[in-house]
Amino acid sequence: MWDGIYVDGQNINSELIVRQTIIQDAMNAIVSVNGGKYTVDQYSNLNKNYKSILGHPFSGNHMGTIEQSTVSCLFAADHPCVIPSPDPSRLIAPHLGERTAIGVEITDVNNITIGLSGPSSQNFFNTFDFMDLGIKSVRSNVRVVNNIFQNMQFVPNQNPIAAVWAIGSNASDPPPVFNLIVGGMFPNESNIFSSCRTGVLGEQNMNVKVIKNRFTGMSRECVLLQFLNADNFV
């Protein structure tokens, strides 16, 4: 596997645009440093990467976006692996035989939205397909809208956690509280969860709002909230 593409927000002119493009077989396909702006859209496919998008710490409003695209770990006949793998729907070395670990991982980011909402966004949804974890948020404020999460069930030698997993902080005196919003009041803000182990998992001092989403074929919880010590709305 190769490393990935880095975009650094310290250069105000830097922006990564991934449009009608496939990024495959990377350890970390897109890495945003210091709020580096990325745009993933128009049927792009981040496929068979160990992690597809990483957002590193950033204290502002993160401008990275993904819309109308697919994050997956699947074989596609029209773009087979450059390097063969014994199982075409699994990763190559050094993670040979595994599937994608995380679709989008956000750590210590003040504010970011994953997905596109608005009157014209009905056909601009993202699909997260066949991985251990769709979105992981750590000590961040994250909004998740207009996405499909599917096929995140248990498979041999893989341990799925949830389609969306948000972890706050266990610090004290007083502990900071972070926010996770999944869905919204308008139709084009809802997410679909299908055939996942757990839909939404929130832990440790989080405000979690799960609004007008659809859950089908879950093997365990649709929404699991634990150790939150904050206000929540489902």
Side-chain angles (χ1 to χ4, degrees), residues 113-152:
T113 297
I114 301 170
L116 177 69
S117 66
S120 61
S121 65
Q122 183 175 357
N123 298 317
F124 287 73
F125 56 84
N126 299 307
T127 299
F128 291 78
D129 197 353
F130 194 63
M131 60 193 66
D132 287 345
L133 177 57
I135 296 172
K136 181 179 181 182
S137 167
V138 181
R139 298 181 301 273
S140 300
N141 298 299
V142 176
R143 182 170 172 251
V144 179
V145 293
N146 207 15
N147 300 284
I148 297 172
F149 301 92
Q150 61 190 26
N151 300 320
M152 299 182 194

Side-chain angles (χ1 to χ4, degrees), residues 12-173:
I12 60 174
N13 295 316
S14 66
E15 179 180 359
L16 173 65
I17 298 175
V18 180
R19 182 161 292 155
Q20 298 180 10
T21 298
I22 300 160
I23 302 180
Q24 183 167 297
D25 296 332
M27 288 292 296
N28 306 293
I30 298 171
V31 182
S32 171
V33 182
N34 299 311
K37 183 179 179 180
Y38 57 84
T39 300
V40 182
D41 62 9
Q42 293 188 19
Y43 305 105
S44 290
N45 188 355
L46 309 181
N47 188 46
K48 298 182 66 173
N49 305 297
Y50 185 67
K51 298 180 181 180
S52 285
I53 297 177
L54 270 68
H56 285 338
F58 182 60
S59 60
N61 293 322
H62 202 296
M63 300 304 293
T65 61
I66 176 171
E67 60 190 63
Q68 202 179 20
S69 295
T70 299
V71 182
S72 59
C73 187
L74 301 171
F75 172 73
D78 57 344
H79 57 280
C81 293
V82 176
I83 303 174
S85 170
D87 185 339
S89 64
R90 299 301 179 95
L91 305 182
I92 61 174
H95 293 283
L96 186 67
E98 300 176 22
R99 66 179 178 184
T100 294
I102 301 175
V104 177
E105 184 175 46
I106 304 297
T107 303
D108 294 318
V109 172
N110 181 61
N111 186 37
I112 190 169
T113 297
I114 301 170
L116 177 69
S117 66
S120 61
S121 65
Q122 183 175 357
N123 298 317
F124 287 73
F125 56 84
N126 299 307
T127 299
F128 291 78
D129 197 353
F130 194 63
M131 60 193 66
D132 287 345
L133 177 57
I135 296 172
K136 181 179 181 182
S137 167
V138 181
R139 298 181 301 273
S140 300
N141 298 299
V142 176
R143 182 170 172 251
V144 179
V145 293
N146 207 15
N147 300 284
I148 297 172
F149 301 92
Q150 61 190 26
N151 300 320
M152 299 182 194
Q153 301 274 21
F154 174 83
V155 295
N157 302 315
Q158 299 287 150
N159 186 27
I161 299 171
V164 178
W165 183 22
I167 308 167
S169 172
N170 58 6
S172 58
D173 300 327

Side-chain angles (χ1 to χ4, degrees), residues 173-194:
D173 300 327
V177 176
F178 299 93
N179 299 284
L180 171 68
I181 300 174
V182 181
M185 298 304 295
F186 299 101
N188 294 342
E189 295 178 330
S190 63
N191 302 277
I192 297 173
F193 298 82
S194 176

Side-chain angles (χ1 to χ4, degrees), residues 192-204:
I192 297 173
F193 298 82
S194 176
S195 298
C196 299
R197 179 182 185 269
T198 297
V200 178
L201 172 59
E203 298 182 298
Q204 298 183 1

